[in-house]
Amino acid sequence: MCGIAGFLTKTRSSIEEQQQKLKKITQVLSHRGPDDEGIWLSADGYTGLGHRRLAIIDLSRAGTQPMRSQCGRYIIVFNGEVYNYLELKAELKKEGHEFISSSDTEVVLTSIIQWGMEKAITKFIGMFAFCVWDSDKKRAYLARDRFGEKPLYYTYSNNLFLFASEIKSLKAWPEFIPNISKTALDFYMHYGYVGAPYTIYENTFKLLPGHMLTISDKELVSQKFEPVPYWTLRNDITSEKKFITESDMLTNLEILLLDSVKKQCISNVSVGAFLSGGIDSSLIVALMQTQSTHPVKTFTIGFTDEKYNEAPYAKAVAAHLGADHSELYVSSQQMRDVIPLLPTIYDEPFADSSQIPTYLVSQLARGSVTVCLSGDGGDELFGGYNHYKWCDKLAKKMKYFPLWSRIILSNLITKISPHYWDIFLNFFMSDKKVNGDRLHKLSYLISSKNTVDLYNKMISTFQGKQRILAFRSSPHPFFMTEALKDTVSHHLISQLMYLDGISYLPDDILTKVDRASMAVSLEVRAPFLDHRISEFLGKLPNETKFKANDNKWLLKEILYKYVPSQLVDRPKMGFGIPLLSWLKGDLREWAEEFLSEKRITSKEYFNYKEVHKVWQEHLSGKRNWQNIIWPILMFESWYEHAHINTIPH
């Protein structure tokens, strides 16, 4: 796990000046690689590669980067891990190659030399982002792993191309222009994150997961280059389905999971695991422990608020498996103390509040290990989110009612404020799960025109409050509409899982974990995101994957072999924080400072009257607007830290 950065340019500068710039954008990434630093600059000063190293495989100097091929033609900077590097190394040795290190980086570079970029990358099982420079052809090859576990950003203008693991590295280049993108801000306010390929800055992009980008002098001058996919999750829902028995399905899946966990435990440093006590993390730990000769180190965060506390479940699972378990109960104050750090950890405004406990559990783990395995990806691959079932049930019922009738009903519901709905519902219903805010959300959903519209509204935080933005705004299903094109599956849950897999998973979940863990120099690996597992699931008929309204039955059936059912069968809990009460209580003074008229109006991004109205409704208890207020606060906090002195446009 490391940080990478580099540039290609046709603008002539002195070698000393280019070297200083390269060192600067590389040093910014020191938290991602505290163990070593290296830079490489071409003789003409037109190309530079930088690397910060967190030593995981081959701790010796032989694993130092940038790494040059033995023939001298190629130079690579690599971030991540290729878990099947030992098998590839054996294959390459049969082809006559010799190795001077035991690192996976040298295997990656040699694979590209032997098989070419396009073929080599399809052989890699892992998480990665890298750049290879071909000094003969004067061409750079950039690539990102299939699910987007490792980040890779780039920007270009005026004969200059920059790339880096984080935006803060790009910003360290003197000529970088940090103009905020309204398209990205619009997207952020709808979903709480900025979706790829966009970033919060104009003319700065994320390389999409499963994509490669090739840059030569010609493309650099013309600025005409397009990332191309080498793998797509779409294949998993369009692939031909093959029926196999339930027994074979479970056996084959368990074999794949065991192999994925085994490969991801390969390390020259200590390895542990996050353990929440939920299905995903419990299964990962169970599979680790069954293949380990010593107790696996596990880590969890506990909360005094029982609504958010999974620590007792994690402790029980760890005890049953014989893991070496560590838990830390954190106070509300400890969690709130993390908030000022968030703008330094996340280079873009990011509003998933579980970023706070994720940082704390990473900090806890880093005290004992350098690598942690996680259960990330389990929900997206196995249908674990509750909104999949909700969307499926709602879509089936909506078919019986024409759109015009649903729009009328939606308007009737929203004419009554959630506050008065609460009074009415509390008088006539004992079910506290139904309240005015949820009824308004339902009214928003039933007005959906199609599947994409339904999904878009389900995951959007705006719910019709687009006037919060001071510029024209609209929901953004742009990545969804194109994504669903040509998919032959008519199974709604499969389509929703696919949409989450190409946006929410890489741009929210994996971004959250990568930045929080790398802020404390901890490498996190996700065994569920071995692409062989995804491709196996893609070949299974939908009716076999989703059984009796239990979308994760496949994982449960395997977990039952290792953990008693009473520790498995419990309601799903989120990894959240009590924002509703915080914003009314301990965070109120901080929030009001960022939501003041002076701050809001000075930047012309938000409509102050609407912001003020939402804030007052939240404080009075008329509405729970935390899903709108928190993104605004995270943007304002990030903006203040970024020190942007540009005119919005």
PDB file of all heavy atoms in Angstrom, residues 340-365:
ATOM      1  N   PRO A 340     -12.926  17.754  13.049  1.00  0.00           N
ATOM      2  CA  PRO A 340     -11.989  18.733  12.456  1.00  0.00           C
ATOM      3  C   PRO A 340     -10.922  18.098  11.570  1.00  0.00           C
ATOM      4  O   PRO A 340     -10.312  18.789  10.744  1.00  0.00           O
ATOM      5  CB  PRO A 340     -11.356  19.391  13.692  1.00  0.00           C
ATOM      6  CG  PRO A 340     -12.326  19.172  14.800  1.00  0.00           C
ATOM      7  CD  PRO A 340     -12.939  17.843  14.530  1.00  0.00           C
ATOM      8  N   LEU A 341     -10.680  16.790  11.727  1.00  0.00           N
ATOM      9  CA  LEU A 341      -9.671  16.112  10.913  1.00  0.00           C
ATOM     10  C   LEU A 341     -10.202  15.734   9.532  1.00  0.00           C
ATOM     11  O   LEU A 341      -9.409  15.488   8.612  1.00  0.00           O
ATOM     12  CB  LEU A 341      -9.189  14.840  11.615  1.00  0.00           C
ATOM     13  CG  LEU A 341      -8.603  14.976  13.020  1.00  0.00           C
ATOM     14  CD1 LEU A 341      -8.245  13.595  13.567  1.00  0.00           C
ATOM     15  CD2 LEU A 341      -7.385  15.881  13.023  1.00  0.00           C
ATOM     16  N   LEU A 342     -11.518  15.651   9.377  1.00  0.00           N
ATOM     17  CA  LEU A 342     -12.098  15.110   8.151  1.00  0.00           C
ATOM     18  C   LEU A 342     -11.669  15.853   6.885  1.00  0.00           C
ATOM     19  O   LEU A 342     -11.370  15.207   5.868  1.00  0.00           O
ATOM     20  CB  LEU A 342     -13.629  15.074   8.267  1.00  0.00           C
ATOM     21  CG  LEU A 342     -14.177  14.155   9.366  1.00  0.00           C
ATOM     22  CD1 LEU A 342     -15.702  14.232   9.420  1.00  0.00           C
ATOM     23  CD2 LEU A 342     -13.727  12.714   9.162  1.00  0.00           C
ATOM     24  N   PRO A 343     -11.601  17.196   6.879  1.00  0.00           N
ATOM     25  CA  PRO A 343     -11.156  17.875   5.649  1.00  0.00           C
ATOM     26  C   PRO A 343      -9.721  17.556   5.264  1.00  0.00           C
ATOM     27  O   PRO A 343      -9.359  17.645   4.092  1.00  0.00           O
ATOM     28  CB  PRO A 343     -11.316  19.366   5.990  1.00  0.00           C
ATOM     29  CG  PRO A 343     -12.283  19.408   7.109  1.00  0.00           C
ATOM     30  CD  PRO A 343     -12.033  18.172   7.902  1.00  0.00           C
ATOM     31  N   THR A 344      -8.890  17.153   6.240  1.00  0.00           N
ATOM     32  CA  THR A 344      -7.509  16.799   5.915  1.00  0.00           C
ATOM     33  C   THR A 344      -7.406  15.368   5.403  1.00  0.00           C
ATOM     34  O   THR A 344      -6.461  15.022   4.699  1.00  0.00           O
ATOM     35  CB  THR A 344      -6.596  16.946   7.153  1.00  0.00           C
ATOM     36  OG1 THR A 344      -6.938  15.946   8.126  1.00  0.00           O
ATOM     37  CG2 THR A 344      -6.763  18.315   7.782  1.00  0.00           C
ATOM     38  N   ILE A 345      -8.382  14.537   5.769  1.00  0.00           N
ATOM     39  CA  ILE A 345      -8.377  13.135   5.360  1.00  0.00           C
ATOM     40  C   ILE A 345      -9.013  12.968   3.990  1.00  0.00           C
ATOM     41  O   ILE A 345      -8.517  12.206   3.154  1.00  0.00           O
ATOM     42  CB  ILE A 345      -9.120  12.275   6.402  1.00  0.00           C
ATOM     43  CG1 ILE A 345      -8.379  12.314   7.746  1.00  0.00           C
ATOM     44  CG2 ILE A 345      -9.274  10.838   5.916  1.00  0.00           C
ATOM     45  CD1 ILE A 345      -9.141  11.661   8.885  1.00  0.00           C
ATOM     46  N   TYR A 346     -10.104  13.703   3.749  1.00  0.00           N
ATOM     47  CA  TYR A 346     -10.860  13.580   2.494  1.00  0.00           C
ATOM     48  C   TYR A 346     -10.624  14.818   1.646  1.00  0.00           C
ATOM     49  O   TYR A 346     -10.933  15.936   2.058  1.00  0.00           O
ATOM     50  CB  TYR A 346     -12.348  13.379   2.784  1.00  0.00           C
ATOM     51  CG  TYR A 346     -12.606  12.075   3.511  1.00  0.00           C
ATOM     52  CD1 TYR A 346     -12.528  12.009   4.897  1.00  0.00           C
ATOM     53  CD2 TYR A 346     -12.880  10.904   2.814  1.00  0.00           C
ATOM     54  CE1 TYR A 346     -12.721  10.810   5.566  1.00  0.00           C
ATOM     55  CE2 TYR A 346     -13.078   9.703   3.477  1.00  0.00           C
ATOM     56  CZ  TYR A 346     -12.994   9.665   4.847  1.00  0.00           C
ATOM     57  OH  TYR A 346     -13.179   8.468   5.509  1.00  0.00           O
ATOM     58  N   ASP A 347     -10.100  14.625   0.450  1.00  0.00           N
ATOM     59  CA  ASP A 347      -9.739  15.741  -0.421  1.00  0.00           C
ATOM     60  C   ASP A 347     -10.943  16.403  -1.066  1.00  0.00           C
ATOM     61  O   ASP A 347     -10.822  17.480  -1.650  1.00  0.00           O
ATOM     62  CB  ASP A 347      -8.819  15.252  -1.542  1.00  0.00           C
ATOM     63  CG  ASP A 347      -7.411  15.010  -1.044  1.00  0.00           C
ATOM     64  OD1 ASP A 347      -7.093  15.452   0.068  1.00  0.00           O
ATOM     65  OD2 ASP A 347      -6.642  14.379  -1.765  1.00  0.00           O
ATOM     66  N   GLU A 348     -12.068  15.732  -1.022  1.00  0.00           N
ATOM     67  CA  GLU A 348     -13.314  16.273  -1.555  1.00  0.00           C
ATOM     68  C   GLU A 348     -14.335  16.304  -0.430  1.00  0.00           C
ATOM     69  O   GLU A 348     -14.195  15.574   0.559  1.00  0.00           O
ATOM     70  CB  GLU A 348     -13.852  15.386  -2.683  1.00  0.00           C
ATOM     71  CG  GLU A 348     -12.940  15.215  -3.860  1.00  0.00           C
ATOM     72  CD  GLU A 348     -13.575  14.337  -4.931  1.00  0.00           C
ATOM     73  OE1 GLU A 348     -13.452  13.100  -4.843  1.00  0.00           O
ATOM     74  OE2 GLU A 348     -14.197  14.889  -5.849  1.00  0.00           O
ATOM     75  N   PRO A 349     -15.375  17.122  -0.549  1.00  0.00           N
ATOM     76  CA  PRO A 349     -16.450  17.025   0.446  1.00  0.00           C
ATOM     77  C   PRO A 349     -17.016  15.615   0.424  1.00  0.00           C
ATOM     78  O   PRO A 349     -17.257  15.040  -0.636  1.00  0.00           O
ATOM     79  CB  PRO A 349     -17.473  18.067  -0.031  1.00  0.00           C
ATOM     80  CG  PRO A 349     -17.124  18.370  -1.450  1.00  0.00           C
ATOM     81  CD  PRO A 349     -15.661  18.135  -1.580  1.00  0.00           C
ATOM     82  N   PHE A 350     -17.190  15.031   1.601  1.00  0.00           N
ATOM     83  CA  PHE A 350     -17.614  13.636   1.722  1.00  0.00           C
ATOM     84  C   PHE A 350     -18.520  13.532   2.936  1.00  0.00           C
ATOM     85  O   PHE A 350     -18.133  13.896   4.044  1.00  0.00           O
ATOM     86  CB  PHE A 350     -16.382  12.742   1.878  1.00  0.00           C
ATOM     87  CG  PHE A 350     -16.675  11.268   1.867  1.00  0.00           C
ATOM     88  CD1 PHE A 350     -16.971  10.623   0.678  1.00  0.00           C
ATOM     89  CD2 PHE A 350     -16.647  10.529   3.045  1.00  0.00           C
ATOM     90  CE1 PHE A 350     -17.234   9.257   0.666  1.00  0.00           C
ATOM     91  CE2 PHE A 350     -16.896   9.177   3.046  1.00  0.00           C
ATOM     92  CZ  PHE A 350     -17.203   8.532   1.854  1.00  0.00           C
ATOM     93  N   ALA A 351     -19.745  13.044   2.750  1.00  0.00           N
ATOM     94  CA  ALA A 351     -20.767  13.179   3.791  1.00  0.00           C
ATOM     95  C   ALA A 351     -21.268  11.870   4.355  1.00  0.00           C
ATOM     96  O   ALA A 351     -22.329  11.834   4.970  1.00  0.00           O
ATOM     97  CB  ALA A 351     -21.946  13.998   3.247  1.00  0.00           C
ATOM     98  N   ASP A 352     -20.537  10.779   4.162  1.00  0.00           N
ATOM     99  CA  ASP A 352     -20.902   9.523   4.808  1.00  0.00           C
ATOM    100  C   ASP A 352     -20.389   9.593   6.242  1.00  0.00           C
ATOM    101  O   ASP A 352     -19.196   9.464   6.482  1.00  0.00           O
ATOM    102  CB  ASP A 352     -20.281   8.333   4.064  1.00  0.00           C
ATOM    103  CG  ASP A 352     -20.713   6.988   4.632  1.00  0.00           C
ATOM    104  OD1 ASP A 352     -21.122   6.944   5.813  1.00  0.00           O
ATOM    105  OD2 ASP A 352     -20.633   5.980   3.909  1.00  0.00           O
ATOM    106  N   SER A 353     -21.291   9.789   7.204  1.00  0.00           N
ATOM    107  CA  SER A 353     -20.864  10.039   8.586  1.00  0.00           C
ATOM    108  C   SER A 353     -20.190   8.832   9.227  1.00  0.00           C
ATOM    109  O   SER A 353     -19.541   8.971  10.268  1.00  0.00           O
ATOM    110  CB  SER A 353     -22.057  10.483   9.437  1.00  0.00           C
ATOM    111  OG  SER A 353     -23.068   9.485   9.456  1.00  0.00           O
ATOM    112  N   SER A 354     -20.306   7.652   8.626  1.00  0.00           N
ATOM    113  CA  SER A 354     -19.599   6.495   9.177  1.00  0.00           C
ATOM    114  C   SER A 354     -18.093   6.610   8.948  1.00  0.00           C
ATOM    115  O   SER A 354     -17.326   5.760   9.401  1.00  0.00           O
ATOM    116  CB  SER A 354     -20.135   5.188   8.579  1.00  0.00           C
ATOM    117  OG  SER A 354     -19.910   5.110   7.191  1.00  0.00           O
ATOM    118  N   GLN A 355     -17.657   7.664   8.259  1.00  0.00           N
ATOM    119  CA  GLN A 355     -16.237   7.951   8.113  1.00  0.00           C
ATOM    120  C   GLN A 355     -15.588   8.150   9.492  1.00  0.00           C
ATOM    121  O   GLN A 355     -14.395   7.866   9.667  1.00  0.00           O
ATOM    122  CB  GLN A 355     -16.044   9.204   7.254  1.00  0.00           C
ATOM    123  CG  GLN A 355     -16.628  10.470   7.850  1.00  0.00           C
ATOM    124  CD  GLN A 355     -16.825  11.607   6.876  1.00  0.00           C
ATOM    125  OE1 GLN A 355     -17.883  12.201   6.848  1.00  0.00           O
ATOM    126  NE2 GLN A 355     -15.831  11.926   6.080  1.00  0.00           N
ATOM    127  N   ILE A 356     -16.365   8.611  10.450  1.00  0.00           N
ATOM    128  CA  ILE A 356     -15.825   8.889  11.788  1.00  0.00           C
ATOM    129  C   ILE A 356     -15.476   7.601  12.530  1.00  0.00           C
ATOM    130  O   ILE A 356     -14.319   7.413  12.939  1.00  0.00           O
ATOM    131  CB  ILE A 356     -16.797   9.776  12.594  1.00  0.00           C
ATOM    132  CG1 ILE A 356     -16.936  11.146  11.913  1.00  0.00           C
ATOM    133  CG2 ILE A 356     -16.318   9.942  14.028  1.00  0.00           C
ATOM    134  CD1 ILE A 356     -17.986  12.045  12.528  1.00  0.00           C
ATOM    135  N   PRO A 357     -16.422   6.668  12.729  1.00  0.00           N
ATOM    136  CA  PRO A 357     -16.022   5.403  13.377  1.00  0.00           C
ATOM    137  C   PRO A 357     -15.041   4.583  12.541  1.00  0.00           C
ATOM    138  O   PRO A 357     -14.242   3.830  13.101  1.00  0.00           O
ATOM    139  CB  PRO A 357     -17.352   4.662  13.567  1.00  0.00           C
ATOM    140  CG  PRO A 357     -18.323   5.306  12.653  1.00  0.00           C
ATOM    141  CD  PRO A 357     -17.883   6.726  12.533  1.00  0.00           C
ATOM    142  N   THR A 358     -15.074   4.730  11.211  1.00  0.00           N
ATOM    143  CA  THR A 358     -14.108   4.016  10.369  1.00  0.00           C
ATOM    144  C   THR A 358     -12.693   4.490  10.661  1.00  0.00           C
ATOM    145  O   THR A 358     -11.749   3.681  10.735  1.00  0.00           O
ATOM    146  CB  THR A 358     -14.435   4.212   8.881  1.00  0.00           C
ATOM    147  OG1 THR A 358     -15.756   3.726   8.615  1.00  0.00           O
ATOM    148  CG2 THR A 358     -13.447   3.453   7.998  1.00  0.00           C
ATOM    149  N   TYR A 359     -12.523   5.774  10.837  1.00  0.00           N
ATOM    150  CA  TYR A 359     -11.208   6.310  11.195  1.00  0.00           C
ATOM    151  C   TYR A 359     -10.771   5.788  12.567  1.00  0.00           C
ATOM    152  O   TYR A 359      -9.614   5.377  12.755  1.00  0.00           O
ATOM    153  CB  TYR A 359     -11.246   7.839  11.198  1.00  0.00           C
ATOM    154  CG  TYR A 359      -9.988   8.484  11.727  1.00  0.00           C
ATOM    155  CD1 TYR A 359      -8.861   8.623  10.931  1.00  0.00           C
ATOM    156  CD2 TYR A 359      -9.924   8.920  13.051  1.00  0.00           C
ATOM    157  CE1 TYR A 359      -7.703   9.204  11.429  1.00  0.00           C
ATOM    158  CE2 TYR A 359      -8.769   9.500  13.554  1.00  0.00           C
ATOM    159  CZ  TYR A 359      -7.662   9.637  12.735  1.00  0.00           C
ATOM    160  OH  TYR A 359      -6.512  10.205  13.232  1.00  0.00           O
ATOM    161  N   LEU A 360     -11.696   5.759  13.521  1.00  0.00           N
ATOM    162  CA  LEU A 360     -11.357   5.337  14.876  1.00  0.00           C
ATOM    163  C   LEU A 360     -10.984   3.856  14.951  1.00  0.00           C
ATOM    164  O   LEU A 360     -10.048   3.476  15.663  1.00  0.00           O
ATOM    165  CB  LEU A 360     -12.524   5.643  15.822  1.00  0.00           C
ATOM    166  CG  LEU A 360     -12.757   7.131  16.109  1.00  0.00           C
ATOM    167  CD1 LEU A 360     -14.077   7.341  16.823  1.00  0.00           C
ATOM    168  CD2 LEU A 360     -11.605   7.708  16.920  1.00  0.00           C
ATOM    169  N   VAL A 361     -11.702   3.008  14.219  1.00  0.00           N
ATOM    170  CA  VAL A 361     -11.366   1.581  14.247  1.00  0.00           C
ATOM    171  C   VAL A 361     -10.053   1.333  13.503  1.00  0.00           C
ATOM    172  O   VAL A 361      -9.275   0.446  13.876  1.00  0.00           O
ATOM    173  CB  VAL A 361     -12.519   0.715  13.678  1.00  0.00           C
ATOM    174  CG1 VAL A 361     -12.599   0.795  12.152  1.00  0.00           C
ATOM    175  CG2 VAL A 361     -12.370  -0.743  14.122  1.00  0.00           C
ATOM    176  N   SER A 362      -9.760   2.136  12.475  1.00  0.00           N
ATOM    177  CA  SER A 362      -8.475   2.033  11.781  1.00  0.00           C
ATOM    178  C   SER A 362      -7.336   2.443  12.710  1.00  0.00           C
ATOM    179  O   SER A 362      -6.276   1.808  12.743  1.00  0.00           O
ATOM    180  CB  SER A 362      -8.467   2.924  10.532  1.00  0.00           C
ATOM    181  OG  SER A 362      -9.433   2.505   9.593  1.00  0.00           O
ATOM    182  N   GLN A 363      -7.564   3.480  13.460  1.00  0.00           N
ATOM    183  CA  GLN A 363      -6.562   3.957  14.423  1.00  0.00           C
ATOM    184  C   GLN A 363      -6.303   2.895  15.495  1.00  0.00           C
ATOM    185  O   GLN A 363      -5.145   2.647  15.875  1.00  0.00           O
ATOM    186  CB  GLN A 363      -7.059   5.255  15.059  1.00  0.00           C
ATOM    187  CG  GLN A 363      -6.032   6.015  15.865  1.00  0.00           C
ATOM    188  CD  GLN A 363      -6.607   7.324  16.382  1.00  0.00           C
ATOM    189  OE1 GLN A 363      -7.638   7.346  17.055  1.00  0.00           O
ATOM    190  NE2 GLN A 363      -5.949   8.424  16.051  1.00  0.00           N
ATOM    191  N   LEU A 364      -7.371   2.247  15.957  1.00  0.00           N
ATOM    192  CA  LEU A 364      -7.236   1.175  16.940  1.00  0.00           C
ATOM    193  C   LEU A 364      -6.412   0.018  16.375  1.00  0.00           C
ATOM    194  O   LEU A 364      -5.486  -0.477  17.025  1.00  0.00           O
ATOM    195  CB  LEU A 364      -8.627   0.675  17.352  1.00  0.00           C
ATOM    196  CG  LEU A 364      -8.670  -0.586  18.225  1.00  0.00           C
ATOM    197  CD1 LEU A 364      -8.049  -0.312  19.588  1.00  0.00           C
ATOM    198  CD2 LEU A 364     -10.117  -1.081  18.380  1.00  0.00           C
ATOM    199  N   ALA A 365      -6.739  -0.404  15.167  1.00  0.00           N
ATOM    200  CA  ALA A 365      -6.053  -1.540  14.550  1.00  0.00           C
ATOM    201  C   ALA A 365      -4.578  -1.238  14.291  1.00  0.00           C
ATOM    202  O   ALA A 365      -3.712  -2.098  14.473  1.00  0.00           O
ATOM    203  CB  ALA A 365      -6.747  -1.923  13.250  1.00  0.00           C
TER     204      ALA A 365
END
